Structures are given as structure tokens and as C-alpha cells.
Amino acid sequence: MKKLEILLPAAIIVFTAFVIAAGIFYYAYPMSVMRFPYFVGGFLIALSTWRLIGAVRGKRLPGEPAEALEPTTEGIGEFVRTALWLVGILPAVWLFGYLAGIPIYLVAYFRAHGETWLLSLLLAGGALAVTYFVFIIALKVRLPVMPLGFS
């Protein structure tokens, strides 16, 4: 049993409980505001607890190999490329706004990693639909939809 298999779910549980507790006790948010964090946080805590119990009991996830795999020999170059792709969404959103930046980033990412144009555009369109309908329409989150500097 690896320490990380126990440490990561435990850290998720503690962090999620802390954030929810801060919303309740420190910020004193009303129930109408805390309904979504309760639902998502409770679901996250339940899944993390389930995984933590499985890790303590020594159960493997489906599809996980019986023996530990050899560590990869990826160099610093692979690490830097991965890190740049992870933070690459930030300038895309800053330059193009949320509605255009996220799909542009996703198309660039998927095409750079060898996916077809059709799949790249479908996934970017799905992300655009989720961003628009869930966050802007349903949740009424005021995302900056225009590029920075434009109103």
C-alpha cells in the first residue's frame, strides 16, 4: 500500500470539510448559497472516504495492475511541457474571454496531442455549451465573456 493512496483522499476530505466549514461558520453564508457546496462537497467527501477505506483495506481500483509499475523516466522537458499545457488555459481565457478562450485552448490541446479535428471541435463545443448553459445561464455566474479590456 502506497502512502499517497491514503494521503490524497485524506487531504481531499480535510480540505473539502474545511472549505464547507469556513462557508458556514466564518462567512455565515445562508443555506441558499451553501446548497451547491453541500451537495458537491458531500459527494466528494463520500467518494474520497470510499477510496480511503479501499486503500486501507488494500483493495485495488478496477484495471489497476497487481504489481506496482516501474517509475517513468520522463525528463524535465516532459514535465515542463505538461506544466505549460496546464497553465495555458489562463492566458487563453485572459486574451479571449471565457466563452472563446476555453474552446480555443481545448482545440489547440487536443490537436497538439494527435486528436482528430472532429473530436477536438466536438469536445470544445461541449465545453462551450457547459460553460454557457451551466455557469452563465443556470448558475448566473458573471464570467468575463469578453477579452480583458473590453466591456
Side-chain angles (χ1 to χ4, degrees), residues 54-117:
V56 169
R57 290 183 181 169
K59 293 184 180 178
R60 293 187 311 270
L61 294 173
E64 188 177 0
E67 294 88 28
L69 298 174
E70 292 294 320
T72 61
T73 57
E74 295 174 348
I76 190 73
E78 181 66 25
F79 173 77
V80 170
R81 278 191 298 278
T82 302
L84 287 174
W85 273 112
L86 286 173
V87 299
I89 197 166
L90 299 175
V93 168
W94 183 70
L95 289 172
F96 303 112
Y98 268 86
L99 288 182
I102 292 173
I104 290 170
Y105 168 80
L106 289 175
V107 168
Y109 178 83
F110 288 125
R111 288 298 298 153
H113 286 83
E115 296 297 337
T116 64
W117 276 105

Side-chain angles (χ1 to χ4, degrees), residues 16-17 19-21 23-24 29-45 130 133-136 138-141:
T16 305
V19 169
I20 291 174
I24 297 169
Y29 288 137
M31 181 60 178
S32 61
V33 172
M34 290 300 292
R35 195 172 300 138
F36 184 73
Y38 282 153
F39 175 73
V40 174
F43 187 68
L44 186 60
I45 288 172
V130 167
F133 289 111
V134 172
F135 292 103
I136 294 175
L139 296 176
K140 295 182 180 24
V141 176

